[in-house]
Amino acid sequence: MTETDLSHARAVRIERFGGPEVIDLADVAVPAPGAGALLVRTAFASVNPVDWKIAEGKYPPLGKDKLPIVLGRDLSGTVVAVGAGADAQIGDRVCAFIDTDRGAQSTLVILKPGEAVAVPEGVSFEDAGAVPLAAMTAWQGLFDHGGLEAGQSVLIHGGAGGVGHIAVQLAKWKGARVIATASAKDLDFVRSLGADQVVDYKAERFEDVAHDLDMVYDTQGGETQDRSFGVLRKGGILVSTLDPDAAKAEAMGVRTVPRWHASPDAAALRQVIDLMAAGTVKVTIAKAFPLDAIHDAQAFAQHEHPRGKVILTVAPD
Ligand SMILES: NC(=O)c1ccc[n+]([C@@H]2O[C@H](COP(=O)([O-])OP(=O)(O)OC[C@H]3O[C@@H](n4cnc5c(N)ncnc54)[C@H](OP(=O)(O)O)[C@@H]3O)[C@@H](O)[C@H]2O)c1
């Protein structure tokens, strides 16, 4: 494999399910891009909780029959080859949220027709590679599933996290009133994102400050979700990035959305990238690790309570 060899890539791969020990770097074959598809040399790929859930065999869409699996769902990079009729050119700067049939933590990645979003001047490759999955999770949860509108109120749990820090900004952009929970060390950060009110979830009960809300955006599940139904107005909605308790929602006279997984949506991602170019949405990157340090990157993201996103530096220009 050389810099100019486009038929092989170095990728973060699992051949079986388990802990960090199953994650390895492997040389993988890369197909030539088919009609309308692009081959991208990855600059930055993002690290997400779904990576270790997949590795542990705890992500239902990817069962044993899908092994071996290359990890990673989102990236930025430069187009190095194009399929017939593709609407991009070699050298274009793009980012994408890709389906689970490929992995983004790889030096070369195929983008299917319609997946790539141009990265404009004014948006860094780092930010463009960090944000697609988190932004689509925030967007789809708040707007597509939750129907958040201007003038409504929303409680966002985990406002300093990868998803939460984007959700706070998107909800404010929409014109909602935002209450967000975070740890004490992150309260000023979450305020700086535009949150109208912040709650130190370890020191205060969010129920003491949040009442009659239109929406809860839950990134925590468990006890946090359980206590959240009570802060909604009758008919309000709880949208969870994890498992929502539909029976509890019904009993409390509120709504919820069945379990969903964020999915690629280039049109929505393009809007987020435009908001980033305009300075309306700012991405926070806690730390970048080289691709070879994937174990350190995952351990940091999983255990060190980073603010915002963790990314892998793959092959920056
Ligand atoms: N359904 C989907 O498609 C989808 C997509 C993306 C993510 N997810 C899931 O959504 C969750 C969040 O993802 P992420 O990428 O944002 O993770 P993350 O970057 O690890 O953020 C989680 C945040 O939650 C905070 N937190 C921890 N305990 C909390 C509590 N009790 N109350 C309020 N905040 C708390 C953490 O801060 P401190 O620990 O520092 O306090 C951290 O800032 C993960 O479980 C992920 O798997 C689902």
Side-chain angles (χ1 to χ4, degrees):
M1 184 178 41
T2 66
E3 274 294 290
T4 51
D5 178 5
L6 300 183
S7 65
H8 284 81
R10 198 163 154 71
V12 176
R13 194 177 69 164
I14 58 165
E15 291 182 326
R16 61 195 164 88
F17 294 130
E21 72 285 354
V22 303
I23 295 167
D24 219 344
L25 282 155
D27 185 281
V28 298
V30 178
L38 311 176
L39 181 63
V40 169
R41 188 181 304 287
T42 307
F44 297 92
S46 136
V47 173
N48 294 289
V50 73
D51 300 344
W52 50 89
K53 292 181 186 178
I54 291 172
E56 290 166 4
K58 292 179 181 159
Y59 185 70
L62 289 176
K64 256 188 176 164
D65 57 318
K66 299 291 195 307
L67 291 168
I69 295 167
V70 173
L71 299 181
R73 301 291 309 279
D74 46 356
L75 73 149
S76 62
T78 304
V79 176
V80 289
V82 297
D87 59 357
Q89 294 181 348
I90 290 173
D92 282 359
R93 287 157 43 96
V94 297
C95 68
F97 178 17
I98 63 172
D99 252 321
T100 49
D101 59 336
R102 289 147 292 147
Q105 291 168 3
S106 174
T107 53
L108 294 166
V109 176
I110 291 279
L111 299 188
K112 289 182 189 168
E115 279 183 341
V117 170
V119 178
E121 289 297 322
V123 174
S124 71
F125 251 169
E126 286 92 334
D127 288 356
V131 84
L133 182 146
M136 290 304 91
T137 307
W139 184 284
Q140 290 166 15
L142 291 171
F143 306 144
D144 299 345
H145 297 296
L148 185 69
E149 289 174 6
Q152 290 193 322
S153 52
V154 57
L155 168 65
I156 296 174
H157 286 303
V163 174
H165 89 291
I166 303 296
V168 168
Q169 297 176 79
L170 288 179
K172 284 308 296 177
W173 165 71
K174 187 59 114 179
R177 191 170 73 78
V178 175
I179 305 173
T181 57
S183 288
K185 66 175 172 44
D186 291 324
L187 295 180
D188 284 343
F189 167 65
V190 177
R191 254 184 228 112
S192 79
L193 302 173
D196 299 284
Q197 205 170 350
V198 291
V199 178
D200 172 356
Y201 71 87
K202 288 175 188 154
E204 279 179 89
R205 287 177 68 78
F206 57 82
E207 302 93 310
D208 293 342
V209 298
H211 308 278
D212 294 317
L213 302 182
D214 296 297
M215 185 186 296
V216 173
Y217 187 90
D218 163 41
T219 59
Q220 304 301 321
E223 191 220 339
T224 299
Q225 181 189 110
D226 206 49
R227 289 165 43 211
S228 291
F229 290 107
V231 306
L232 288 166
R233 65 166 167 80
K234 285 277 176 259
I237 187 164
L238 180 139
V239 177
S240 181
T241 61
L242 301 161
D243 265 331
D245 185 340
K248 173 114 189 190
E250 196 180 343
M252 298 286 290
V254 300
R255 294 173 295 141
T256 189
V257 193
R259 184 164 192 153
W260 55 281
H261 294 293
S263 54
D265 176 350
L269 179 56
R270 196 166 293 118
Q271 288 191 68
V272 174
I273 295 289
D274 286 348
L275 290 170
M276 288 161 58
T280 307
V281 168
K282 293 188 173 67
V283 180
T284 293
I285 295 173
K287 197 163 173 182
F289 291 82
L291 183 67
D292 284 355
I294 179 62
H295 291 103
D296 294 340
Q298 275 203 10
F300 179 79
Q302 202 170 355
H303 304 300
E304 298 301 321
H305 305 263
R307 187 179 285 175
K309 291 290 308 176
V310 175
I311 58 170
L312 296 170
T313 303
V314 184
D317 282 343

